[in-house]
Amino acid sequence: MTEPGEFRPIRPLIPLGLLAAVVVAILSFWNWMGAPIGPHTVLGSVSDKPSCVSYAPFRGVESPVTPGIDIPASRIDEDLQHLAGFTRCVRTYQIDQGAQHVPALAGKYGIKVRQGFWIGRNASDNEKQIAAAIALATRYPDSIESIAVGNEVLLRADQGAEALVAMIKRVKAAVPMRVTYADVWESWLRYPELADAVDFITIHVLPYWEDVPVAAEQAAVHVDEKRRLVAARFPGKEIVIGEVGWPSQGRMRSVAEASPANQARVIRDVMALAKREGFGVNVIEAFDQPWKRGWEGTVGGHWGLFDAQTREPKFAWDGAVSNYPQWRRQAAGGVAMALVIFAVAFATRDKRLALKTSFGRWVGVAIIAAVAGMTIGLALERIPVESFNAGTWVLSLAMAVLALASPLCATAAIMRNSTIPTFAELLGGTPPRPRGVFETTCGIVLLLLTLLATDVALGLVFDPRYRDFPAVGMTCAVVPFAVLAWQSRTSESTGIAETIFAAMLVLAAGYLALNESLANWQALWLSLGLFGLGVTLGRGRIRMGFAALNPS
């Protein structure tokens, strides 16, 4: 019989049984995550694929603002060869930096060109663009099927409607093909005088970027509604969808979730609708453009139907699509992480307890291992996706290090009965108490996690539009300390620094959830992580003690 105040013995098979349960949970989770979705609209033939796609020749760090950039014709030819048989047309946005080679090369592959050029605020630059576009159209009338005089000029307020109409009329008088102007659907309703100047109206409808974002399953209906709205305003005028698409990666905007499966669904649905209703569509865009991440966050660089690196299609056009096609590798990594966590637990357990360590501690270790196993693979995978400048690389790498370190620190702290130092003790604000290197390391990890979480939270409060939600890495890093706090004895009050950070994180979590809307599960997930860290900090000093964990 066990005397009061003593630990009940724990058989060796109990930790191993918990480990087995964790492994099953991780494998089941990733099997569910990797399951193919759809198809929702099956395209019956190649002709049902996008009839036209936006094309820009930039790769890697290249962008339109790269000084002196001029993409060689050989690379343009390589891209068009990839697109041959996939589409009958490409839409371009410039007549320089290499894009001037497109009309000459497109004919080799039976591809028509909807030629665009840039209109900005500088009058001299605009004149050069107009002259070059007219020259290109005159030289390649068989390849270029239409000219777009500028792109979203009115949306950016680079020119007024009157000046833009004058430019359109000049180009129309000088080229043999049809002339249009391309802008978001609202601009055509706001500046109806443009309609008389163009041969057909080109509208952009991007459900993801709408002021009130639209869910993927409603995107095609939304596109048709806006097309009909503009058509009703300009009866008898042809309406072409100049840009429609969906991102495969990036943050949610309200109900609009970026994912490969949703990208496939939206494009398939729109193409099926266009075929049924008989209107023209141009999909944005052919290849991912990584440079756009610097302007629009992660989501900006993932609108392509083809991968930026491999130049291959992201998904099959007539089948189901998995959002995590590498899920088996991620599952294997998660199982390995869980094994390491349990190994740390066995290696660091207090030797005085041997296998009499309480069942509650092993349950805590199992929770940490399960959460880490389910999230660590995805957290590491997100690093190159969400990192595109020095700041985002530092944030992503720091989050990954904390996601790896926190489970190990918390596990060892549970098994060693460790006391985690307060922030004031770490920073020298109060007299230090006797502690070892391990306790100091855990305290540093918690401090760095708090600082990083605060940076993420404040960024999403004050400048949220293009910021990602690092919910996966945050979960992997926060849950271990939350479990540690749950199992600890907290006899001392919370420090001033911890109280301030806790208040900021809890308030930011609430604001983020409401500001992003309760429909945004990514924002809610991150808010829960921030809230959990705030509550953990608010519990006071995290101290482990035998009596606190003794089952009654």
Side-chain angles (χ1 to χ4, degrees):
M1 175 162 306
T2 305
E3 296 295 329
E6 294 181 357
F7 285 99
R8 289 189 175 94
I10 296 295
R11 294 188 176 93
L13 290 180
I14 289 181
L16 296 178
L18 288 171
L19 173 58
V22 167
V23 170
V24 170
I26 293 171
L27 295 177
S28 299
F29 170 79
W30 275 110
N31 181 66
W32 170 69
M33 289 285 284
I37 301 172
H40 301 284
T41 299
V42 180
L43 302 181
S45 66
V46 172
S47 63
D48 290 329
K49 293 180 181 178
S51 57
C52 198
V53 294
S54 295
Y55 169 67
F58 308 110
R59 300 186 187 183
V61 298
E62 298 170 348
S63 79
V65 297
T66 302
I69 189 170
D70 187 16
I71 308 300
S74 59
R75 252 181 50 189
I76 306 290
D77 186 80
E78 181 183 328
D79 284 344
L80 293 176
Q81 187 175 2
H82 267 95
L83 296 176
F86 175 79
T87 185
R88 303 186 301 272
C89 159
V90 294
R91 178 188 171 188
T92 64
Y93 296 78
Q94 57 197 135
I95 42 81
D96 51 12
Q97 298 182 324
Q100 68 273 17
H101 301 304
V102 173
L105 297 169
K108 289 174 55 178
Y109 305 104
I111 295 175
K112 293 293 185 180
V113 180
R114 296 179 184 174
Q115 182 67 55
F117 62 93
W118 190 257
I119 294 295
R121 297 188 178 186
N122 187 287
S124 175
D125 289 343
N126 290 342
E127 287 299 317
K128 293 177 183 177
Q129 290 281 312
I130 292 172
I134 292 173
L136 204 63
T138 303
R139 187 176 180 183
Y140 300 105
D142 294 333
S143 293
I144 299 176
E145 68 174 22
S146 64
I147 297 285
V149 181
N151 182 69
E152 298 185 349
V153 179
L154 298 175
L155 178 65
R156 297 191 308 273
D158 284 352
Q159 295 288 330
E162 184 178 352
L164 190 57
V165 166
M167 295 179 195
I168 293 170
K169 290 181 177 179
R170 283 178 54 193
V171 175
K172 279 185 65 175
V175 301
M177 61 283 299
R178 299 198 302 167
V179 175
T180 187
Y181 164 68
D183 211 325
V184 296
W185 61 270
E186 297 100 326
S187 291
W188 288 96
L189 302 179
R190 192 173 296 123
Y191 304 100
E193 59 268 36
L194 264 70
D196 290 333
V198 298
D199 293 312
F200 62 95
I201 294 173
T202 301
I203 64 172
H204 297 171
V205 189
L206 299 170
Y208 174 91
W209 281 126
E210 293 283 19
D211 293 336
V212 180
V214 179
E217 57 267 25
Q218 296 298 320
V221 173
H222 177 81
V223 170
D224 197 39
E225 287 177 351
K226 300 312 176 186
R227 180 188 68 86
R228 291 178 182 274
L229 181 65
V230 176
R233 180 65 179 82
F234 305 105
K237 207 78 173 182
E238 180 186 358
I239 311 297
V240 172
I241 308 298
E243 283 186 1
V244 66
W246 196 268
S248 60
Q249 298 284 355
R251 53 120 66 211
M252 281 186 74
R253 295 191 69 239
S254 185
V255 295
E257 179 183 355
S259 73
N262 278 345
Q263 183 183 47
R265 174 171 190 162
V266 170
I267 303 306
R268 289 167 172 170
D269 286 350
V270 170
M271 293 310 304
L273 179 66
K275 182 178 181 179
R276 188 186 72 196
E277 300 295 328
F279 61 85
V281 172
N282 174 78
V283 174
I284 185 167
E285 56 195 326
F287 300 98
D288 279 343
Q289 295 292 295
W291 62 272
K292 290 185 179 180
R293 296 182 300 171
W295 294 11
E296 301 174 353
T298 297
V299 72
H302 293 91
W303 287 73
L305 303 178
F306 290 76
D307 182 81
Q309 302 300 322
T310 66
R311 317 306 273 184
E312 294 300 321
K314 290 182 181 177
F315 50 82
W317 283 90
D318 58 355
V321 179
S322 172
N323 288 329
Y324 302 98
Q326 303 299 321
W327 68 270
R328 290 179 178 83
R329 183 178 64 187
Q330 292 167 319
V335 170
M337 183 71 178
L339 292 174
V340 169
I341 290 171
F342 269 82
V344 169
F346 275 107
T348 60
R349 71 185 188 279
D350 194 309
K351 298 301 188 294
R352 293 173 298 170
L353 300 178
L355 290 175
K356 294 183 179 181
T357 305
S358 76
F359 177 73
R361 296 193 185 202
W362 283 109
V363 170
V365 170
I367 293 172
I368 293 172
V371 172
M374 293 175 186
T375 58
I376 192 63
L378 188 55
L380 297 178
E381 182 187 77
R382 303 302 297 171
I383 294 175
V385 174
E386 297 178 352
S387 305
F388 47 87
N389 56 33
T392 52
W393 271 106
V394 169
L395 177 65
S396 296
L397 291 173
M399 184 66 74
V401 170
L402 293 173
L404 288 167
S406 294
L408 303 181
C409 278
T411 296
I414 289 174
M415 305 307 287
R416 289 168 56 98
N417 297 286
S418 298
T419 297
I420 307 300
T422 65
F423 294 166
E425 290 174 347
L426 283 172
L427 300 176
T430 60
R433 308 186 187 200
R435 61 179 182 270
V437 174
F438 170 77
E439 286 76 13
T440 300
T441 301
C442 284
I444 291 173
V445 170
L446 180 58
L447 174 60
L448 292 177
L449 174 59
T450 301
L451 294 174
L452 185 61
T454 303
D455 176 71
V456 169
L458 295 180
L460 285 166
V461 167
F462 293 105
D463 184 26
R465 183 172 175 84
Y466 299 123
R467 293 180 184 269
D468 293 307
F469 303 117
V472 179
M474 190 71 67
T475 299
C476 196
V478 169
V479 167
F481 282 108
V483 171
L484 179 60
W486 164 59
Q487 292 206 339
S488 72
R489 175 163 52 88
T490 55
S491 60
E492 300 180 34
S493 61
T494 305
I496 295 177
E498 284 86 347
T499 300
I500 293 173
F501 280 118
M504 285 194 296
L505 290 171
V506 169
L507 290 174
Y511 174 84
L512 176 61
L514 295 176
N515 185 57
E516 294 289 343
S517 90
L518 298 180
N520 188 333
W521 62 264
Q522 291 180 356
L524 291 179
W525 182 6
L526 179 61
S527 296
L528 186 61
L530 297 174
F531 180 82
L533 180 57
V535 171
T536 298
L537 294 173
R539 279 180 57 85
R541 171 192 289 274
I542 298 176
R543 304 177 64 204
M544 302 303 297
F546 297 142
L549 296 175
N550 180 30
S552 57

